[in-house]
Amino acid sequence: MAEAERIIGTPDSAGADESAASDDGTAAPEERPKGRRRIVALLVVAVLAYLLDLGSKMLVVAKLEGREAIPLIGDLLRLDAIRNPGAAFGMGEAFTIVFTCIAAVVIIVIIRLARKLYSLPWAIALGLLLGGALGNLTDRIFRSPGVFEGAVVDFIAPAHFAVFNLADSAIVCGGILIVFLSFRGVDPDGTVHKD
């Protein structure tokens, strides 16, 4: 996990010590609340993404599973409930427990990074990743065929593309935002590098 923190570029407390203390040795009042607001933003985004995913899957299982696909935009977009034991695009069906462990590690890394978070865009990106990972991890833990081997409920079916769910969408959007922020030189601690 320390390696992930190093790659993402979050500094340890070395740089924070200089900015967090004033001349008389007391903590600067603006530093901590700003960071707390970013953590709250991360948590709000994660909870919203998780609840939207969980609610949509419950609705799909109750109303759509075992029925014909529902066309939304002709043949371009349908709602079609499937159970996916593998990763994205249905690959790796034999490695369900591996994907469960990867999701758990991602969640732990995001929680560890949150304490060093001072960038709102990074908070949103990590919140999307966290909410999406929690959504799919919930399926893998609680859905059949068993604990840590459950199949994820997918239902958004674009033409000529894999079927996915809202958790997958949150993960992809969070990942795209992280790539964009990295190209812009924005670090999770709010610093900007102009290389």
Side-chain angles (χ1 to χ4, degrees):
M1 283 185 241
E3 181 66 14
E5 290 175 3
R6 186 191 64 74
I7 290 171
I8 291 180
T10 56
D12 286 330
S13 57
D17 287 345
E18 296 171 11
S19 62
S22 62
D23 292 336
D24 62 352
T26 60
E30 295 180 28
E31 291 299 318
R32 291 294 117 204
K34 192 175 180 186
R36 284 191 193 115
R37 282 182 278 188
R38 301 310 184 253
I39 292 171
V40 169
L42 182 151
L43 293 175
V44 167
V45 170
V47 167
L48 284 174
Y50 177 72
L51 291 178
L52 285 171
D53 178 65
L54 184 63
S56 65
K57 288 174 180 173
M58 290 171 68
L59 188 63
V60 164
V61 168
K63 302 289 183 185
L64 187 61
E65 199 166 50
R67 297 194 175 123
E68 290 291 318
I70 298 171
L72 293 179
I73 305 173
D75 290 335
L76 294 176
L77 182 63
R78 299 174 294 127
L79 294 179
D80 189 12
I82 66 162
R83 298 286 181 119
N84 179 7
F89 312 113
M91 297 184 298
E93 292 183 14
F95 300 103
T96 304
I97 196 153
V98 173
F99 300 127
T100 304
C101 293
I102 290 170
V105 168
V106 166
I107 291 166
I108 292 167
V109 168
I110 291 171
I111 290 169
R112 287 197 52 165
L113 289 174
R115 61 192 164 94
K116 299 176 183 178
L117 189 62
Y118 287 89
S119 166
L120 182 59
W122 270 95
I124 293 168
L126 292 176
L128 288 168
L129 286 177
L130 181 59
L134 283 170
N136 284 339
L137 183 61
T138 299
D139 280 2
R140 298 212 185 272
I141 292 173
F142 296 109
R143 293 202 189 274
S144 62
V147 176
F148 299 114
E149 296 178 353
V152 173
V153 175
D154 289 333
F155 57 92
I156 303 169
H160 312 296
F161 196 71
V163 182
F164 59 95
N165 57 43
L166 294 182
D168 298 332
S169 299
I171 291 168
V172 168
C173 290
I176 290 170
L177 184 53
I178 286 173
V179 169
F180 176 75
L181 292 170
S182 297
F183 276 119
R184 296 286 309 262
V186 179
D187 285 344
D189 67 351
T191 58
V192 178
H193 302 283
K194 298 191 179 193
D195 296 333

